[in-house]
Amino acid sequence: MILSFGGAVLFAALVVLIAEVVLISDSEIQRRPEQLEKQIKALDWRDLQLWGIGACVLFALAAGFFLLLAPNLLWKFTASAHAPNLPQYTAGLIVLLLLLNAQTLHQRFRLQKIRAELVRQLQLAERAAQVDALTGVFNRRYMEKMLEKEVSRAERYQNNLCLAVIDVDKFKDFNTRFGHLEGDRVLMTVASLMRKNFRAADTIVRYGGDEFIVVMPETAMHEAAVAISRLQEVYLAEWNQANDRGYSITVTCGMAEPKPGMTASELIHQADRLMLDAKTRVCAPA
């Protein structure tokens, strides 16, 4: 009876734990980073629960063998009416322990799978927080962290670094004449052509509205000017020629390179000022 009661308690505890794990199914995983972190912590607590159940199983096994090997210490088992049922009790205990361990192992693998999925979703959420939803390039939040490091690295190792501010010409006219949806298409087109034009090592950022920033590490000013000219005279020119939408897309650029002691915000300000000065020109290097 004691073995049956203990087995029932352990089985009930395992059923509760299984129900809790099932509640965290793949389809119910939240996408916000803070919620994902909470769920990962909840899985760590369930790991402790599984280990606790495993300890209880081992304790029940040890207690069972103790009762079987030394029954006279607790009961006068040989004179008891339960003596004929000893084989059934033993077999039931073994089967129960096997089931509990099988379920515990299964839930352990399930927890590992859910944890891996949560970590993957957390990584996706963190990446989504760094990317502009419309154009697919990096956003201003990401650039503010990255540019400080690039400026510091360039100054420390005396490497070249060039930053370009690129503005879509007459963008307000696109929205006024053709609507905001067409304006969004213009921004997506510019971002797509920029990804084709610049290197994989360069970082393209939508700085805000119709302004983009390109951070080009280990790039001298004349090399950056070549890349900007290629964007204007090759990629944009070919797109305008191939797409008759009633308008042409052109951009204006201002470029700057960091001077000793210059901060990231000062570098952006210098390139932005040169871009505004160059609104009537093709490109203005610092």
Side-chain angles (χ1 to χ4, degrees):
M1 293 299 292
I2 293 177
L3 293 178
S4 300
F5 178 74
V9 171
L10 288 175
F11 187 76
L14 186 60
V15 168
V16 172
L17 180 59
I18 293 171
E20 290 178 351
V21 173
V22 170
L23 289 176
I24 310 180
S25 62
D26 295 344
S27 61
E28 294 176 342
I29 293 176
Q30 302 294 328
R31 296 296 186 263
R32 292 194 299 175
E34 60 272 14
Q35 292 176 330
L36 292 174
E37 291 177 0
K38 290 181 180 179
Q39 290 184 335
I40 291 175
K41 291 180 180 179
L43 288 179
D44 291 337
W45 169 244
R46 287 178 174 82
D47 268 349
L48 294 176
Q49 289 179 311
L50 283 176
W51 287 114
I53 289 178
C56 292
V57 169
L58 291 177
F59 177 78
L61 182 62
F65 276 109
F66 176 78
L67 293 175
L68 291 175
L69 295 176
N72 289 328
L73 296 177
L74 297 176
W75 304 325
K76 291 184 178 180
F77 200 86
T78 54
S80 173
H82 297 286
N85 297 323
L86 179 59
Q88 290 87 339
Y89 287 153
T90 304
L93 176 63
I94 294 174
V95 171
L96 180 59
L97 292 174
L98 290 175
L99 289 175
L100 287 173
N101 281 281
Q103 287 294 335
T104 302
L105 184 63
H106 171 72
Q107 294 308 317
R108 175 68 178 174
F109 285 133
R110 182 174 177 81
L111 284 173
Q112 291 177 344
K113 179 180 178 181
I114 294 175
R115 181 185 288 105
E117 176 65 14
L118 286 171
V119 171
R120 186 182 71 85
Q121 292 295 339
L122 180 60
Q123 293 172 342
L124 292 176
E126 289 176 346
R127 176 169 176 79
Q130 300 174 346
V131 175
D132 178 63
L134 177 64
T135 60
V137 299
F138 288 109
N139 58 22
R140 183 169 180 169
R141 175 185 175 185
Y142 172 80
M143 187 207 65
E144 290 175 349
K145 298 179 180 179
M146 175 274 300
L147 186 56
E148 289 286 352
K149 296 179 181 179
E150 289 295 337
V151 171
S152 298
R153 184 181 294 111
E155 184 173 1
R156 184 183 306 114
Y157 298 107
Q158 299 298 308
N159 291 334
N160 290 320
L161 175 67
C162 186
L163 181 141
V165 175
I166 300 175
D167 184 82
V168 180
D169 296 331
K170 300 178 181 179
F171 180 71
K172 291 182 179 179
D173 292 344
F174 290 114
N175 290 332
T176 302
R177 294 175 56 193
F178 303 102
H180 289 280
L181 289 179
E182 193 65 27
D184 289 345
R185 292 191 185 96
V186 170
L187 293 176
M188 289 187 289
T189 299
V190 172
S192 176
L193 294 176
M194 290 174 67
R195 281 195 294 266
K196 294 178 181 179
N197 178 70
F198 292 101
R199 306 169 303 175
D202 300 332
T203 303
I204 304 172
V205 178
R206 185 186 177 192
Y207 191 60
D210 59 340
E211 276 192 354
F212 294 86
I213 285 180
V214 183
V215 181
M216 293 171 274
E218 300 183 10
T219 303
M221 290 292 287
H222 68 277
E223 295 172 323
V226 171
I228 295 297
S229 297
R230 183 173 60 243
L231 173 66
Q232 294 171 319
E233 299 171 9
V234 178
Y235 284 99
L236 284 172
E238 290 179 352
W239 189 92
N240 289 329
Q241 185 176 3
N243 294 272
D244 184 13
R245 293 179 176 270
Y247 58 81
S248 295
I249 301 177
T250 59
V251 297
T252 300
C253 166
M255 296 188 301
E257 57 183 355
K259 302 297 189 295
M262 180 179 287
T263 64
S265 59
E266 291 171 342
L267 179 63
I268 295 173
H269 177 74
Q270 180 179 351
D272 189 58
R273 178 176 53 81
L274 291 171
M275 182 273 297
L276 293 174
D277 293 341
K279 268 297 183 180
T280 57
R281 293 173 292 173
V282 175
C283 185

